[in-house]
């Protein structure tokens, strides 16, 4: 079945830009969705269909997807952005919803 | 306001069974696919199962196929998962989740707060 790979952790200083990758075979041909999960809370979708932002999500959050890597970019990182981030695709060959392993973002 | 409220989580012995329920409100339930997603302690998200808006189509992760059964009652705005032959590695918080479309392919736009299932002797 389809596998998506994320780095376990990313660290960034406040005010800087964080990038979180999500790798998979020809993932550029799929729609990638990103979820943010803070400790003790349910996940929240922050980017859907590669680049779209739900209402209420700051413009600092953006996404891209091409080739074998999708990327979540967080600009002007704030302490409140510290969370786990998960990418997710739909694998039509197996009819499975597939999550990446998650990336813990630490704000230094 | 969309609300998803899970119930049924408990401590169960290996080999036992459990039925989780999810009560939905705040949207036209029969229009949207629903999923169960679990998270083992300290681990990442794992999709477990999904059901289409009509209930006609169901899908399962390989790890639960043959042991779990998802169903929905559109007249009562409820979705269920019957879990049999439970194993220690089924221990997790189980989230009820709403698809943003009638099938499971679209992203999840709402999540419940989760219910804890612990499988242990």
């Amino acid at each position: 079945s389809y596998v998506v790979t994320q780095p376990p952790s990313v660290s960034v200083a406040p005010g800087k830009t964080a990038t979180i990758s999500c790798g998979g075979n020809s993932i550029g041909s799929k729609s990638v969705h990103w979820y943010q999960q803070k400790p003790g809370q349910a996940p929240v979708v922050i980017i859907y269909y590669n680049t779209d932002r739900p209402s209420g999500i700051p413009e600092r959050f953006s996404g891209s997807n091409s080739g074998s890597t999708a990327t979540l970019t967080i600009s002007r990182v704030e302490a409140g952005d510290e969370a786990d981030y998960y990418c997710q695709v739909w694998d039509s060959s197996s009819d499975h919803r597939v999550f990446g392993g998650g990336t813990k973002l630490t704000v230094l | 306001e969309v609300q998803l409220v899970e119930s049924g989580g408990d401590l169960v012995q290996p080999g036992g069974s459990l039925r989780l329920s999810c009560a939905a409100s705040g949207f036209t339930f029969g229009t949207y696919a629903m999923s169960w997603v679990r998270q083992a302690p300290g681990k990442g998200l794992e999709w477990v199962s999904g059901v289409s808006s009509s209930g006609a189509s169901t899908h399962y992760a390989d790890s639960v196929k043959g042991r779990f059964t998802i169903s929905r009652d559109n007249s009562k705005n409820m979705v269920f998962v019957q879990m049999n032959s439970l194993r220690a590695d089924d221990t997790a918080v189980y989230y009820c989740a709403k698809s943003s479309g009638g099938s499971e392919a679209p992203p999840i736009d709402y999540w419940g707060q989760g219910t804890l299932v612990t499988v242990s002797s």
Side-chain angles (χ1 to χ4, degrees):
Chain A
S1 58
Y2 194 79
V3 175
V4 289
T5 303
Q6 297 180 236
S9 64
V10 167
S11 298
V12 63
K16 300 298 186 183
T17 297
T19 59
I20 298 174
S21 62
C22 174
N25 185 30
S26 299
I27 198 170
S29 65
K30 298 181 181 298
S31 292
V32 177
H33 317 300
W34 290 91
Y35 303 87
Q36 176 194 67
Q37 186 181 34
K38 296 183 177 180
Q41 297 183 18
V44 173
V45 63
I46 56 173
I47 295 289
Y48 58 95
Y49 295 111
N50 302 319
T51 60
D52 294 343
R53 252 186 339 270
S55 60
I57 301 301
E59 292 183 7
R60 301 185 297 104
F61 291 86
S62 63
S64 64
N65 186 16
S66 178
S68 61
T69 305
T71 303
L72 173 69
T73 301
I74 310 172
S75 305
R76 303 181 300 282
V77 167
E78 303 173 356
D81 298 332
E82 197 162 91
D84 294 324
Y85 293 85
Y86 297 89
C87 61
Q88 180 255 303
V89 302
W90 175 257
D91 179 23
S92 56
S93 63
S94 62
D95 285 334
H96 285 188
R97 192 184 291 274
V98 179
F99 287 95
T103 299
K104 181 177 181 59
L105 177 68
T106 298
V107 181
L108 301 170
Chain B
E1 178 193 6
V2 172
Q3 285 195 317
L4 301 171
V5 180
E6 303 95 337
S7 61
D10 205 347
L11 170 64
V12 61
Q13 291 189 340
S17 298
L18 209 56
R19 188 194 197 208
L20 304 183
S21 302
C22 172
S25 61
F27 63 101
T28 307
F29 182 73
T31 305
Y32 297 95
M34 300 293 294
S35 296
W36 288 94
V37 177
R38 68 185 181 184
Q39 186 168 35
K43 301 298 184 182
L45 301 173
E46 180 189 15
W47 171 79
V48 172
S49 181
V51 58
S52 63
S53 56
S54 68
S57 176
T58 59
H59 302 107
Y60 299 92
D62 295 345
S63 58
V64 307
K65 195 168 186 177
R67 300 187 300 123
F68 289 15
T69 302
I70 192 171
S71 62
R72 64 189 295 161
D73 185 338
N74 285 352
S75 68
K76 296 182 178 178
N77 289 5
M78 300 280 294
V79 61
F80 311 94
V81 61
Q82 175 67 42
M83 305 186 295
N84 299 329
S85 303
L86 283 162
R87 312 184 304 221
D89 61 359
D90 293 318
T91 294
V93 172
Y94 284 72
Y95 292 102
C96 174
K98 171 188 170 293
S99 172
S100 52
S103 71
E104 293 177 65
I108 292 169
D109 56 359
Y110 290 94
W111 301 69
Q113 285 305 303
T115 187
L116 177 62
V117 173
T118 303
V119 184
S120 175
S121 55

